[in-house]
Amino acid sequence: MIEVKNLTRYYGEKCAINNVSFRVEKGEVLGLLGPNAAGKTTTMRILTCYMPPTSGDAWVAGYNIWEAPMEVKKRIGYLPENPPLYHDLRVEEYLNFVAKIKGVPGNRLKSQVSSAIERAGLTSVARQVIGSLSKGYKQRVGLAQALLNDPDVLILDEPTVGLDPRQIIEIRQLIKNLGGDHTVILSTHILPEVEMTCQRVVIINEGQVVAQDTPENLTRRLRGTERILLELDGDTRTVEEVLGRFPQITSREVEKLSGNGHVRYALEVTEDIRNQLARAVVESGVNLYELRSEAYSLEDIFLHLTTKEEEAVA
Amino acid sequence: MKKLLAIYQKEMKHFFYSPIAYIVIAAFTVLAGIFFYLYLSSFVEAAFMDMIRSQQFRTPPQKFNVNLQLIRPYFWNLALISLFVLPLVTMRLYSEEKKLGTVELLYTSPISVSQIVLGKFLAGLTFYLVMLIPTVIFQALLFVYGDPELGPVLSGYLGLLLLGSAFIAGGLFISSLTENQIIAAIGGFGLSLLLWVIGWAASFSGPGLAKVLNYLSVINHFEDFAQGVIDSQHIAFYLLLSAVGIYLTFKSLEAIRWRA
């Protein structure tokens, strides 16, 4: 549905994105993940034909951004970072206007507008002036605008910014439901959002794609090593001796807990040895308080990838 | 065409939903009214004095021409007020879109740059027409109480409309260059004023350049309309000037896209 090939964009001397390539299949929800100023917005602006890339190529909904930008624009819904709203118009008036410039035919105009109002949960404020709405509602008007004309591709730049927790859940649910019929690209720097809504993730840092995969695969990739947390109370030498029996432990960090004098070990292991470890500890007479494995979250991966990149650049 | 109309309607809404429109119309009407009153009273006074004189000395009264002595300078004044007021009409036409970030909506919708520009230009021109309505009422009074010629009045309005369209096209262009309305207003006024006074420099320059400067001066082309002469040369001048303004706006919008 969307194919991006070697996109590069310079702002004067400054390189915003460098050689970005990825694909999105029909009905998929793709998350563009990256810290601020990583090039997410630039990528989206190129895909929506807001501005051309310095070099590279992209196809959206089957049309090339260079050759048929009008055809691309007919098939996308775009929510920019700041929702593009006219503060003096009423919600309905605004959506009517957007529907007209998007070329919704007159006989479908009314039904399209009212369905967009309904889907974005704007029924109660449809007749209000946009300028008087709260930030959350403004964001939803922006979303409603993107949904008009049932676009094949939805491009959402940080869609949940400025919303309260309940609205965030609603919007995420809405986006999740949109996948399947629509192809969705959304950008964010909030990791749980990606884990919850996206089937695939592209991580961008400093204008380059540093990883792309499903959230699960990305997590698994870092799972080459696993972490076990161990909370004990006993003779340090005995503990060291017990731990020394396991060659699977590649590194250990020790931390003395201030409250109860217990010791916490954070172990990196090559395989799951929780059961042997538990038995060995208990048999040696040391008191075992806690033993659990800790999975790496997308957050760790994100930090891992983006900081590694920074070091490489430096 | 439908999309152009959508832009046009939206712009008209912006005009009339904001207090600026009413303030601009009110200011224009008050100024136009004051000038009308001053011209009318001095005209009536002169005619009255002449009547007394003719009775005293038993001479036939002079012929006073309303068209020549009232309507003609009045049109010139309306043109002058337009020069000051139109930048306030055009200032937000494009700069507001930039400031609100709605350019992102316009540029990612299947609508062409020319549809955007023309929609906005026509909305500006319509607003100017609305602004002129009260002055029509003033002039109608002359027809009620006297009998001026209709022709010069109509040609005067045609001249105002053409002059206004050139100012609006220029103002729209300036507005497309900035996201600050104040800068757009001052720039639009500066450009219009420059085109107005450029003819003054003709008296100091050589004969060749003087011809060019006189031709460029927007007000020189207006005289004939105010007198009731419709010359295709002047119509062509204003249309050309408007076209240049619209073309420059078009180019500036396209350029923004590449620079952004």
Side-chain angles (χ1 to χ4, degrees):
Chain A
M1 203 62 180
I2 299 171
E3 192 168 358
V4 176
K5 259 193 188 158
N6 309 327
L7 280 189
T8 300
R9 166 82 198 194
Y10 281 89
Y11 293 109
E13 288 285 292
K14 205 178 150 278
C15 180
I17 56 170
N18 185 10
N19 227 350
V20 167
S21 303
F22 59 85
R23 278 177 66 96
V24 192
E25 301 303 330
K26 189 171 166 26
E28 213 173 19
V29 179
L30 176 93
L32 265 184
L33 194 60
N36 290 328
K40 291 169 293 185
T41 300
T42 304
T43 309
M44 292 187 150
R45 282 181 167 178
I46 291 170
L47 290 181
T48 53
C49 302
Y50 175 69
M51 61 186 187
T54 310
S55 69
D57 223 338
W59 287 263
V60 179
Y63 290 91
N64 187 281
I65 56 160
W66 292 102
E67 285 155 16
M70 276 296 171
E71 296 301 316
V72 171
K73 289 176 189 178
K74 275 183 200 164
R75 288 165 179 79
I76 55 163
Y78 175 41
L79 171 63
E81 210 170 343
N82 301 308
L85 307 173
Y86 298 106
H87 293 181
D88 51 352
L89 300 185
R90 290 171 200 284
V91 173
E92 256 176 1
E93 279 175 330
Y94 169 74
L95 292 176
N96 262 316
F97 164 70
V98 178
K100 278 184 201 159
I101 62 168
K102 281 192 172 179
V104 175
N107 54 358
R108 281 191 20 233
L109 195 85
K110 237 184 159 162
S111 62
Q112 283 282 347
V113 169
S114 57
S115 100
I117 286 177
E118 208 173 297
R119 280 159 95 181
L122 289 165
T123 319
S124 58
V125 296
R127 301 203 47 79
Q128 275 194 42
V129 176
I130 292 174
S132 72
L133 297 178
S134 68
K135 187 153 180 3
Y137 270 117
K138 281 183 185 151
Q139 190 73 20
R140 290 193 202 196
V141 177
L143 196 64
Q145 163 272 122
L147 292 173
L148 281 170
N149 203 18
D150 265 324
D152 296 336
V153 175
L154 266 170
I155 297 181
L156 311 171
D157 201 348
E158 307 202 351
T160 55
V161 163
L163 301 178
D164 68 38
R166 219 192 59 202
Q167 291 169 331
I168 290 178
I169 293 169
E170 282 173 27
I171 296 284
R172 280 180 192 158
Q173 195 55 48
L174 178 65
I175 292 168
K176 231 177 169 173
N177 294 344
L178 287 172
D181 298 335
H182 305 69
T183 307
V184 183
I185 296 186
L186 68 94
S187 82
T188 179
H189 51 249
I190 305 164
L191 294 145
E193 193 158 293
V194 175
E195 280 172 298
M196 267 179 257
T197 50
C198 303
Q199 282 127 34
R200 240 152 43 78
V201 189
V202 171
I203 298 180
I204 300 187
N205 190 43
E206 305 205 335
Q208 279 174 326
V209 174
V210 287
Q212 53 174 316
D213 216 327
T214 60
E216 296 80 33
N217 278 347
L218 279 176
T219 321
R220 201 171 304 142
R221 231 161 75 185
L222 266 193
R223 279 265 181 83
T225 56
E226 212 162 338
R227 265 153 72 99
I228 293 178
L229 285 181
L230 199 58
E231 191 180 323
L232 306 165
D233 177 24
D235 179 35
T236 317
R237 219 170 317 143
T238 319
V239 175
E240 289 292 331
E241 190 267 322
V242 170
L243 295 181
R245 269 186 252 156
F246 293 94
Q248 295 95 327
I249 298 173
T250 52
S251 81
R252 67 180 86 153
E253 285 168 42
V254 193
E255 183 193 356
K256 198 151 171 84
L257 298 178
S258 53
N260 44 21
H262 297 173
V263 179
R264 177 179 288 160
Y265 285 86
L267 308 173
E268 296 218 331
V269 291
T270 50
E271 62 183 278
D272 194 354
I273 51 163
R274 278 176 297 177
N275 52 349
Q276 296 102 302
L277 196 60
R279 195 172 302 129
V281 169
V282 173
E283 278 171 1
S284 70
V286 175
N287 296 324
L288 175 62
Y289 286 88
E290 189 184 1
L291 185 150
R292 65 187 161 96
S293 88
E294 195 183 51
Y296 281 96
S297 68
L298 203 52
E299 204 138 344
D300 298 308
I301 299 165
F302 179 66
L303 285 174
H304 181 75
L305 287 168
T306 52
T307 45
K308 200 170 77 182
E309 182 67 14
E310 263 163 35
E311 280 158 15
V313 168
Chain B
M1 195 60 205
K2 253 191 192 159
K3 291 171 186 171
L4 192 154
L5 200 67
I7 296 278
Y8 174 82
Q9 285 171 337
K10 175 187 80 87
E11 290 305 325
M12 292 312 283
K13 280 181 182 169
H14 286 322
F15 276 133
F16 289 101
Y17 285 180
S18 98
I20 297 178
Y22 299 96
I23 294 168
V24 166
I25 291 177
F28 185 83
T29 308
V30 168
L31 286 172
I34 290 172
F35 278 113
F36 184 74
Y37 174 77
L38 292 176
Y39 279 112
L40 184 64
S41 55
S42 72
F43 176 80
V44 170
E45 196 178 83
F48 188 66
M49 294 303 276
D50 184 66
M51 205 172 72
I52 293 172
R53 203 181 306 122
S54 70
Q55 277 173 1
Q56 269 181 345
F57 303 106
R58 302 193 185 284
T59 51
Q62 284 178 26
K63 190 103 175 99
F64 276 84
N65 186 324
V66 192
N67 283 97
L68 220 60
Q69 280 160 296
L70 203 165
I71 294 177
R72 185 178 153 199
Y74 184 57
F75 269 118
W76 195 89
N77 259 291
L78 287 182
L80 186 68
I81 307 171
S82 304
L83 168 76
F84 285 93
V85 168
L86 280 179
L88 301 176
V89 174
T90 55
M91 64 179 183
R92 50 149 295 285
L93 272 180
Y94 207 83
S95 56
E96 186 77 349
E97 304 267 10
K98 285 179 135 179
K99 194 162 178 197
L100 289 173
T102 43
V103 278
E104 266 190 274
L105 170 67
L106 295 181
Y107 286 177
T108 58
S109 298
I111 176 169
S112 68
V113 173
S114 52
Q115 284 169 324
I116 299 172
V117 177
L118 285 177
K120 283 175 180 288
F121 171 75
L122 290 176
L125 202 60
T126 311
F127 185 81
Y128 184 51
L129 280 177
V130 173
M131 229 162 70
L132 288 175
I133 290 173
T135 70
V136 175
I137 300 169
F138 299 151
Q139 310 236 22
L141 287 174
L142 297 177
F143 285 90
V144 174
Y145 295 104
D147 74 318
E149 267 181 82
L150 182 62
V153 175
L154 294 181
S155 76
Y157 275 111
L158 177 66
L160 273 184
L161 194 62
L162 287 167
L163 179 81
S165 98
F167 284 165
I168 289 166
L172 181 60
F173 169 58
I174 301 289
S175 179
S176 76
L177 299 176
T178 172
E179 60 176 60
N180 185 322
Q181 291 195 19
I182 308 293
I183 294 176
I186 295 170
F189 174 68
L191 180 69
S192 307
L193 188 65
L194 183 74
L195 287 172
W196 186 291
V197 300
I198 204 165
W200 298 357
S203 43
F204 316 115
S205 55
L209 190 61
K211 235 177 160 179
V212 176
L213 293 178
N214 268 324
Y215 180 75
L216 282 177
S217 170
V218 282
I219 196 63
N220 287 355
H221 296 269
F222 187 70
E223 307 273 309
D224 275 355
F225 287 106
Q227 287 174 54
V229 180
I230 298 177
D231 189 335
S232 58
Q233 175 208 331
H234 300 317
I235 296 181
F237 172 78
Y238 285 126
L239 290 183
L240 186 70
L241 206 57
S242 311
V244 169
I246 290 171
Y247 178 76
L248 287 177
T249 316
F250 180 83
K251 281 290 155 196
S252 124
L253 296 207
E254 291 224 307
I256 288 163
R257 227 172 201 178
W258 288 84
R259 249 187 292 124

